[in-house]
Structures are given as C-alpha cells and as structure tokens.
Amino acid sequence: MTEEHQHFHSPEEKKRQLTRLARIAGHLEHVRKMIEADEDCADVLIQLSAVRSAITGLGKEIINEHISHCVTHAIEDGNEEAVEDFKAAIEKFI
C-alpha cells in the first residue's frame, strides 16, 4: 500500500493564487456580459485569450510550487506514485 502524500501550501502562496483566480473569474464574467451585450466577436476572442493566458499562468505557478514542495518531499519519501500522478496531471494540463 502506498503512503498518502500530504500537501502543505503556505498561506501566502494560497492567498496569492486565490486572488489570481478571483481576478480570472471576474474577467470571465466580463466576457459573459460581452456576449450577452452582442459585443464584437473579435473583442470577445481577445478577452477569452487573456483569460486563457491567465489560467495558464496560474497553472504554471501551481506546477512550480508543487515541484518545489510536494514532489520534492515525495521523492525524498520514495513515493514514486505521487510523482507519476503529478506527471499525469501535467500532461492533462498541457
């Protein structure tokens, strides 16, 4: 049986990520309102591109944090399953 991997995220990092996510949600809400208002499709696509970029940036930040903390500890503990699970998650994200 494999050992369950414990996650710890610093409160500062978590707050920063949640703030970014709230900004993304607000931006996505703006896109919804643009569509409701029949705004120009090109403008909507540009805003959607900005949302996608923001989500990708947040994902990269989470990947870096996870590698720095969780994956490092999993390797130290010999928990290869946690490393493989993270590889699979990265593949889905990309």
Side-chain angles (χ1 to χ4, degrees), residues 10-61:
S10 75
E12 298 84 16
E13 195 68 28
K14 188 185 299 185
K15 182 179 177 183
R16 195 164 57 108
Q17 291 172 357
L18 289 172
T19 298
R20 285 183 75 170
L21 193 54
R23 245 184 275 128
I24 292 167
H27 204 123
L28 196 53
E29 177 63 19
H30 176 69
V31 171
R32 185 186 66 75
K33 289 177 181 178
M34 289 175 74
I35 292 170
E36 285 179 343
D38 291 324
E39 291 193 28
D40 184 68
C41 293
D43 292 338
V44 172
L45 288 172
I46 290 167
Q47 293 305 311
L48 281 173
S49 176
V51 170
R52 181 175 49 208
S53 178
I55 290 171
T56 299
L58 177 59
K60 288 177 182 179
E61 184 178 299

Side-chain angles (χ1 to χ4, degrees), residues 84-94:
E84 292 303 316
D85 289 347
F86 188 58
K87 283 181 184 177
I90 290 173
E91 284 297 318
K92 288 180 181 179
F93 178 74
I94 295 172

